[in-house]
Amino acid sequence: MVIMGIQKPAWLEALYTQKFFVGCCYHETAKKNEKNVYCLDCCVSICPHCIPSHRFHRLLQVRRYVYHDVVRLEDLQKLIDCSNVQAYTINSAKVVFIKKRPQNRQFKGAVNYCTSCDRSLQEPFIHCSLGCKVDFLLKHYKDLSPFLRKCKTLTLSPDFLIPQETGEEEMANETAQSTVVDSDEPMSWSSSGSESMSMSMAYSSDQIVRKKRSGLYLWRSSANRVSDEEIASSMSRRKGIPHRSPLC
């Protein structure tokens, strides 16, 4: 975009125009698919599921504060000079608004006002957002290059959680469910079908042992075997006859 003959950096223009906290069209069926990350190299907003495809790019996390998009001041200062922009604190981190926030009426007793949208500010700030400062610089200095900073690497904060792939979760769940036997019928084995059953279930050295009078099954592996005596004692165990206390 060109303003008064001056061109904004591509990443800065896209950061101002991209939509965040909307569903990702590439991961419509996935959970947590809101776009809350901005890729500076591709100039697009992405969701957490898209991060593996942009893992070598510069990434900027976008947060939400009072229904507006904000970024951490620490991250933004690596890209552009953020002096005189009022910051706010959320979750013990200072953030800066990306877009303008025009205010209909001014509060009485306010000392400073935004140079672009006349929003009431605290001292000594004169800009309420990144967009307001950029407009102010272009209007008065005609050039943004003295305020831009070179940033070759920009990574997400360590507390940013990347969800696991849905396919991997389903495979893990299926694997876990395949080791659980929840049938109440006793298992029968025949000489003709034992080989086919062992091949289909792929239990070479592992066996499933069922406790009598209960619906539980024990997984007995070669690494941690249960002795036949223990199994026999657990299966032949009976509840004792209940004794009532004498009447007084």
Side-chain angles (χ1 to χ4, degrees):
M1 181 178 180
V2 179
I3 298 179
M4 300 178 61
I6 303 173
Q7 185 177 6
K8 291 183 181 180
W11 69 264
L12 182 59
E13 178 63 25
L15 177 63
Y16 199 80
T17 57
Q18 285 289 306
K19 292 183 179 180
F20 297 94
F21 296 96
V22 295
C24 177
C25 60
Y26 297 103
H27 302 92
E28 294 179 353
T29 59
K31 296 180 180 179
K32 299 181 180 179
N33 65 340
E34 286 187 338
K35 296 182 178 181
N36 60 348
V37 178
Y38 176 70
C39 179
L40 280 81
D41 296 325
C42 300
C43 298
V44 293
S45 57
I46 60 177
C47 76
H49 298 277
C50 300
I51 292 179
S53 301
H54 301 260
R55 59 184 179 275
F56 300 117
H57 298 175
R58 296 172 298 170
L59 301 178
L60 180 66
Q61 182 180 358
V62 180
R63 293 171 169 83
R64 198 75 169 169
Y65 181 62
V66 292
Y67 306 103
H68 289 81
D69 299 333
V70 297
V71 293
R72 288 201 312 173
L73 178 61
E74 180 182 357
D75 296 335
L76 194 60
Q77 283 181 334
K78 299 177 182 178
L79 303 169
I80 189 173
D81 179 20
C82 296
S83 59
N84 297 325
V85 180
Q86 181 166 320
Y88 299 84
T89 304
I90 59 172
N91 297 332
S92 67
K94 291 186 177 182
V95 297
V96 173
F97 287 94
I98 298 176
K99 300 180 181 180
K100 298 180 180 181
R101 297 182 302 133
Q103 195 171 22
N104 296 331
R105 60 186 181 88
Q106 297 180 352
F107 291 94
K108 295 181 179 180
V111 179
N112 289 2
Y113 296 95
C114 180
T115 56
S116 180
C117 61
D118 295 332
R119 173 172 285 274
S120 302
L121 301 174
Q122 301 175 356
E123 291 185 347
F125 306 107
I126 58 176
H127 310 295
C128 73
S129 66
L130 173 64
C132 293
K133 176 165 185 176
V134 170
D135 291 347
F136 177 82
L137 295 178
L138 292 176
K139 182 179 179 180
H140 292 83
Y141 296 96
K142 314 298 183 182
D143 188 11
L144 288 178
S145 56
F147 304 93
L148 297 177
R149 296 173 178 174
K150 294 182 179 181
C151 179
K152 295 182 179 180
T153 60
L154 185 61
T155 58
L156 299 173
S157 58
D159 59 344
F160 186 85
L161 299 178
I162 301 177
Q164 296 180 355
E165 294 296 333
T166 306
E168 295 180 358
E169 292 181 354
E170 293 178 354
M171 292 177 62
N173 293 335
E174 291 178 359
T175 304
Q177 292 176 2
S178 64
T179 61
V180 178
V181 181
D182 54 0
S183 174
D184 292 335
E185 297 297 328
M187 299 178 65
S188 60
W189 300 85
S190 61
S191 59
S192 60
S194 60
E195 294 181 359
S196 60
M197 181 64 69
S198 60
M199 292 178 62
S200 61
M201 298 183 69
Y203 296 150
S204 58
S205 60
D206 299 329
Q207 298 176 355
I208 296 178
V209 181
R210 183 175 185 268
K211 282 187 177 180
K212 192 176 181 181
R213 301 180 60 86
S214 67
L216 299 178
Y217 288 84
L218 296 178
W219 181 262
R220 187 174 67 177
S221 62
S222 58
N224 187 15
R225 290 187 176 276
V226 181
S227 63
D228 295 336
E229 292 78 5
E230 293 178 357
I231 299 173
S233 61
S234 62
M235 295 180 64
S236 62
R237 190 176 300 163
R238 296 291 186 272
K239 292 184 179 179
I241 301 174
H243 298 278
R244 295 183 180 179
S245 59
L247 299 175
C248 297

